[in-house]
Amino acid sequence: MLAAVVGVSYGKEPVQIFENDYYNSLKVRYAKEKYKAVMVDDGIPAPSFQRSIVDFAIGLLGIQYRFGGESIWGMDCSAFVQKVYAMAGIDLPRTARYQAKYGMYVSRENLQPGDLLFFRTYARFPSHVGIYIGEGKMIHASSAGKRIMISDIDKDFYLRNFLFAKRLFLYDPEEIIGEDEK
């Protein structure tokens, strides 16, 4: 059985993708990362939630920024990302610092819509997160813009404070098992 970086709900039981017995038996971090890379590059079609992340995010455009906020009356960057991924059925931690622990690292040259972008703002650890939407743009809850908005990731502020990008790879087991194998 495949296991997950984070829990995904397909029906009633959460599906696990990366953390299985084999993965957990690996002692070297490199071996674990290599195993995850093989899982990622397997040609399995991406589930519909990966195609929907940007649509869910755009649906929240314009909501007011509020540090620590978690509702439509105002939310911060990590609450925004948590809400968007929750709409897709993926549970992420509440803060950018802990969201940064999930997924696979992706270079800026290989970004795809739905990837998470992490920045340092008020601390050395990831303190800001946005969702890449393509064409050099991200959607995020901006304290400077005072709302959820789309920004160019090549602006000087974002270039200077960029830490890394992550991609969450999760698959629907129904798409992995062919109809004739059921």
Side-chain angles (χ1 to χ4, degrees):
M1 164 133 182
L2 296 175
V5 173
V6 293
V8 181
S9 298
Y10 294 104
K12 295 180 182 175
E13 294 293 317
V15 176
Q16 300 296 312
I17 302 276
F18 287 140
E19 291 187 12
N20 57 30
D21 290 336
Y22 175 74
Y23 175 85
N24 290 330
S25 74
L26 298 172
K27 302 297 180 213
V28 179
R29 183 174 180 200
Y30 172 79
K32 287 185 174 191
E33 293 300 317
K34 183 177 176 186
Y35 173 76
K36 288 193 279 186
V38 169
M39 293 294 294
V40 166
D41 194 21
D42 57 12
I44 296 172
S48 59
F49 85 84
Q50 283 179 304
R51 295 183 295 268
S52 301
I53 293 295
V54 173
D55 293 336
F56 291 143
I58 288 173
L60 299 175
L61 268 173
I63 290 177
Q64 184 178 18
Y65 175 87
R66 191 175 87 211
F67 186 78
E70 300 180 26
S71 74
I72 61 166
W73 305 113
M75 61 179 69
D76 63 19
C77 65
S78 57
F80 166 66
V81 167
Q82 184 184 44
K83 173 73 82 186
V84 168
Y85 274 82
M87 290 165 59
I90 301 168
D91 297 320
L92 284 176
R94 171 61 181 86
T95 66
R97 185 177 193 170
Y98 291 105
Q99 290 171 357
K101 294 179 183 273
Y102 292 90
M104 299 287 296
Y105 288 99
V106 180
S107 68
R108 280 179 55 96
E109 297 77 32
N110 292 315
L111 288 172
Q112 292 180 9
D115 290 346
L116 298 178
L117 305 170
F118 293 93
F119 304 87
R120 69 175 163 262
T121 52
Y122 61 83
R124 285 191 274 176
F125 54 80
S127 51
H128 184 67
V129 60
I131 300 171
Y132 185 71
I133 61 171
E135 299 181 17
K137 308 251 186 256
M138 73 170 164
I139 186 168
H140 62 125
S142 170
S143 60
K146 301 188 184 337
R147 68 188 189 290
I148 294 173
M149 59 187 284
I150 295 173
S151 297
D152 186 335
I153 65 171
D154 291 324
K155 280 188 170 181
D156 186 50
F157 175 82
Y158 298 116
L159 288 172
R160 274 194 332 258
N161 294 296
F162 179 74
L163 293 172
F164 52 84
K166 290 277 194 102
R167 181 173 300 149
L168 299 180
F169 280 95
L170 302 166
Y171 299 109
D172 183 343
E174 298 301 318
E175 292 184 38
I176 295 170
I177 301 170
E179 288 297 318
D180 52 347
E181 296 179 34
K182 288 184 183 179

